[in-house]
Amino acid sequence: MKTSLTRLSLKARHTIALQEPIMGELYLGQRCAPFLPTDVQELTEGIWVRPGPSWGHQVMDRGPWHALIIGEPCALQADWGALLACPDDALSGAIAAVEGVHSGVAWRPGSPRRWFWRDRFGRIPWQLLSGHALLATTDPELVVRAAGSAGINPERLTDFLAGGRSTSRADFIRGVERLRPGELALADEERLHWVRRWWSPTLPTRHQLAPYHERLAQIGARLRLGTSGLTSPGAWLALSGGLDSATLLASSPDPRRCCAFTVTLRDAPAELATADTLTRALGTHWEHCGVDARWPLRSPAEHERLAGWGPHAHPDLAWFPAALNQLQAHCADQTPSVLYTGHGADDALWMPPGLWLIHQWDRGAWRELLAAGRALGARTTLAPARGALIERLGLRPWRERLRALPAPGPAWLPGAAGPARAALLSPMHRFALYRAARLNSWAWELIMRSLARIARRARLQVRTPYLDARIWDLALTLTPEELIEGGRQKAPLRRLTQGVLPEAVRTRKKLGSFDALVERGLAERETRRALRLFAGAQLAELRVIDGPCFQHALADYLSQPSRLWRGSWEIWRAVAAELWLHSRQRSSPPGAP
């Protein structure tokens, strides 16, 4: 049943989730009108909503503000009317007071101005189209239709192929920009007035830190809050057998009342065995979904469609629907409607081993270094000693001036910009800044778009308990000794699950390899398709890549599937970009670039 907003007064209401492949979209500006889907509903002049199953929404008209908010239930339950009863310059603080994933638009009746914001971690996309009038929306497909014959942005493609380090707003199509996570914009029908931040992670100051056990307890409490819905009907956990998703299961109100599933390739027994051991120990209902669709080019249409989203950064879009179809067939009484994932744990709680080793050399932690030497080997352990000595002697400014900058990316990217020289800060301060800034990068943007595309494709709500503002702030306060213990990453999660998870799961190393997955997919299964895809590559025609250089690298990659090439990210990004260009060409009007 569909609830029409045209029959609702502008009071706080929740609509019924619709079982259709849309997310719940917002549209701002009369310029959207010619491109709107047929099932949108207009709230006021120049503002439309399209309800969907992935996000709830709430309409509010209490006090001087009217607002439309989409997001998670915990955010929609906030007293938005009281929060928004504030002057214009206090709007950022009012939005920041609400926890959870939320995005929306606020306006004052009779005023042409519109304030709209994106959620903290970028789960909900926001794009704007430049021009003579406002067009802003959470629906990338409307943007690409409205952009018409606008050309491709080669700088964005080049950055994507080099790893997505850029933090600019410019999108893959010329004239299209994104709102970055945690940003608030003010616009009217004629122009965009400004964009500013309403939230960013809080960098720590040492005198503010609570004891480690208190911060650890707070992380545990936030995870329990984030997984409180795991025992609800229709909620499923994507369980990899790794520590991140296992911790979510252990943090739930009662693992025996939870449902979990594991998606694996049919010949990946280690991950499967670990998930089986874990769910047996905790009494969790568990399903195994063995799929073949995970091979990157098995279903290229899944990666080509939805041209407005840009290239799909990971070859996983096709296997989620296949897995969910299996779940629906096997568990008709537990049809998935909410999916919990461990996304964000690596970004919040992982640190580069080299940085940890530099820190141990700097503090003279000989016992830890001896243990690391036994696990990693003498060469790997000794290599960071030089960096630690340079730091201690205060010679890094001279080193930064003299040494050459690292290569910008693969050899076939002649136009890629290399990384800037490192700021003259301590390694740990640089690491904290890097983790905080990562949320603005295009690498992060495309991870969030992948989650949104999976939710859209599978008609699901996706919950990410690790993408929590308080967890993120707490994670930035953790020292190397608190992040890594006994040579193992993510020590906070291992401590939180001690006595709850089986020791074999709690102390295991990370399984899985993106390189192995893509190598087996492309080199063993998809050689002909890959070579055919790059015959007359559009990336080469746009001069984004050096065509002959890439063809040589691809042939070398495909000819040696048994040798771990360790360049699969670069190869896959080129495949994804070429697939996207094919999709863009088919969806563009005649004569478009």
Side-chain angles (χ1 to χ4, degrees):
M1 175 181 177
K2 183 179 292 187
T3 302
S4 172
L5 285 177
T6 58
R7 298 196 299 270
L8 297 179
S9 60
L10 290 179
K11 302 294 182 184
R13 297 283 184 96
H14 292 278
T15 60
I16 298 173
L18 307 179
Q19 293 302 310
E20 52 190 16
I22 55 177
M23 294 181 60
E25 314 290 9
L26 304 182
Y27 305 91
L28 302 183
Q30 291 295 341
R31 197 174 166 197
C32 294
F35 310 100
L36 289 171
T38 57
D39 56 348
V40 299
Q41 296 148 2
E42 187 170 15
L43 297 183
T44 189
E45 184 177 0
I47 301 179
W48 297 266
V49 62
R50 189 187 190 198
S54 296
W55 304 110
H57 76 264
Q58 183 186 77
V59 183
M60 183 276 300
D61 72 344
R62 181 177 167 185
W65 291 94
H66 287 188
L68 170 64
I69 300 101
I70 63 174
E72 293 178 333
C74 64
L76 299 181
Q77 292 164 6
D79 188 355
W80 283 94
L83 289 167
L84 294 182
C86 62
D88 295 0
D89 57 3
L91 187 59
S92 294
I95 296 171
V98 180
E99 294 187 348
V101 175
H102 58 83
S103 184
V105 55
W107 68 96
R108 292 180 182 272
S111 170
R113 293 189 166 193
R114 307 288 186 251
W115 287 259
F116 53 99
W117 68 94
R118 191 175 183 187
D119 64 286
R120 292 175 175 89
F121 292 95
R123 290 288 316 281
I124 301 172
W126 264 104
Q127 290 175 305
L128 303 90
L129 183 61
S130 61
H132 62 279
L134 173 67
L135 188 156
T137 179
T138 61
D139 182 0
E141 290 310 293
L142 182 136
V143 173
V144 77
R145 291 195 299 271
S149 60
I152 302 297
N153 179 1
E155 290 81 10
R156 175 61 46 244
L157 271 179
T158 299
D159 176 69
F160 170 71
L161 296 177
R165 291 186 293 260
S166 171
T167 59
S168 78
R169 294 192 180 93
D171 216 304
F172 286 91
I173 298 173
R174 291 188 185 277
V176 178
E177 294 189 346
R178 60 168 179 152
L179 273 191
R180 292 178 295 204
E183 285 190 333
L184 169 71
L186 171 64
D188 56 31
E189 279 292 342
E190 296 183 355
R191 65 188 180 94
L192 181 69
H193 291 275
W194 49 252
V195 177
R196 61 183 61 159
R197 300 207 64 80
W198 66 268
W199 178 83
S200 59
T202 304
L203 291 174
T205 56
R206 305 311 301 177
H207 67 276
Q208 295 177 340
L209 292 186
Y212 174 54
H213 70 274
E214 293 183 12
R215 287 176 284 141
L216 187 64
Q218 291 178 53
I219 291 174
R222 298 302 300 184
L223 288 176
R224 288 191 294 274
L225 179 64
T227 57
S228 59
L230 253 178
T231 53
S232 302
W236 284 79
L237 172 66
L239 185 68
S240 67
L243 183 63
D244 305 341
S245 54
T247 300
L248 295 182
L249 183 59
S251 302
S252 68
D254 185 356
R256 294 169 298 179
R257 295 166 50 208
C258 295
C259 296
F261 70 99
T262 301
V263 181
T264 63
L265 302 176
R266 298 190 188 279
D267 54 354
E271 190 173 5
L272 192 62
T274 304
D276 183 42
T277 300
L278 171 62
T279 51
R280 285 179 183 274
L282 298 184
T284 302
H285 175 77
W286 176 66
E287 296 286 340
H288 167 226
C289 301
V291 295
D292 288 327
R294 201 170 180 176
W295 301 116
L297 296 182
R298 178 60 54 87
S299 303
E302 300 292 346
H303 299 281
E304 292 176 352
R305 66 179 61 178
L306 302 175
W309 297 75
H312 193 59
H314 206 285
D316 57 5
L317 191 60
W319 56 263
F320 248 103
L324 292 169
N325 286 339
Q326 290 187 41
L327 281 181
Q328 291 170 352
H330 297 161
C331 309
D333 58 336
Q334 284 282 1
T335 301
S337 58
V338 182
L339 174 67
Y340 284 79
T341 81
H343 283 85
D346 283 343
D347 301 278
L349 298 170
W350 181 89
M351 74 177 301
L355 182 59
W356 179 80
L357 286 169
I358 288 176
H359 185 73
Q360 303 313 310
W361 280 107
D362 188 54
R363 60 192 286 264
W366 310 117
R367 181 178 298 178
E368 288 82 355
L369 287 168
L370 285 172
R374 288 192 292 269
L376 302 175
R379 183 174 181 179
T380 301
T381 306
L382 290 171
R386 182 178 62 178
L389 180 61
I390 289 172
E391 289 283 347
R392 178 166 291 188
L393 296 176
L395 298 177
R396 193 159 66 85
W398 295 97
R399 179 192 181 195
E400 292 296 329
R401 292 177 188 175
L402 294 174
R403 72 173 181 174
L405 285 172
W412 56 81
L413 288 181
R421 293 192 182 275
L424 296 179
L425 303 169
S426 71
M428 288 311 302
H429 196 177
R430 291 203 309 273
F431 182 51
L433 288 173
Y434 163 77
R435 286 195 291 171
R438 177 166 163 76
L439 298 181
N440 291 325
S441 72
W442 270 93
W444 182 267
E445 175 74 26
L446 291 171
I447 292 172
M448 294 300 100
R449 290 189 185 186
S450 292
L451 282 178
R453 291 173 74 171
I454 288 170
R456 172 191 285 257
R457 178 71 177 84
R459 308 177 187 181
L460 287 172
Q461 300 174 41
V462 177
R463 300 282 182 261
T464 50
Y466 289 108
L467 296 184
D468 174 90
R470 185 58 184 151
I471 288 178
W472 207 268
D473 288 345
L474 289 165
L476 290 178
T477 71
L478 297 174
T479 66
E481 294 74 36
E482 293 164 347
L483 284 169
I484 299 179
E485 291 180 359
R488 292 187 173 92
Q489 296 271 7
K490 302 177 185 175
L493 301 187
R494 300 184 195 277
R495 285 201 172 195
L496 286 170
T497 55
Q498 190 168 12
V500 181
L501 293 180
E503 282 299 292
V505 176
R506 193 181 72 86
T507 60
R508 71 185 279 266
K509 295 181 179 180
K510 186 177 181 68
L511 287 180
S513 166
F514 182 88
D515 293 272
L517 166 66
V518 180
E519 282 182 20
R520 289 157 63 193
L522 288 177
E524 295 180 9
R525 303 286 186 98
E526 309 287 1
T527 299
R528 290 184 179 179
R529 295 190 201 190
L531 292 172
R532 189 165 59 244
L533 178 67
F534 283 93
Q538 294 186 47
L539 286 171
E541 292 178 7
L542 291 170
R543 298 185 179 180
V544 173
I545 65 172
D546 181 326
C549 181
F550 179 79
Q551 290 280 7
H552 177 77
L554 180 63
D556 178 61
Y557 178 88
L558 296 175
S559 67
Q560 303 185 60
S562 60
R563 175 174 64 86
L564 200 58
W565 195 76
R566 306 307 296 179
S568 299
W569 274 114
E570 288 85 354
I571 291 290
W572 170 253
R573 285 193 289 259
V575 169
E578 190 67 25
L579 286 171
W580 178 73
L581 287 172
H582 282 247
S583 173
R584 170 67 177 156
Q585 186 179 52
R586 282 193 293 272
S587 63
S588 297

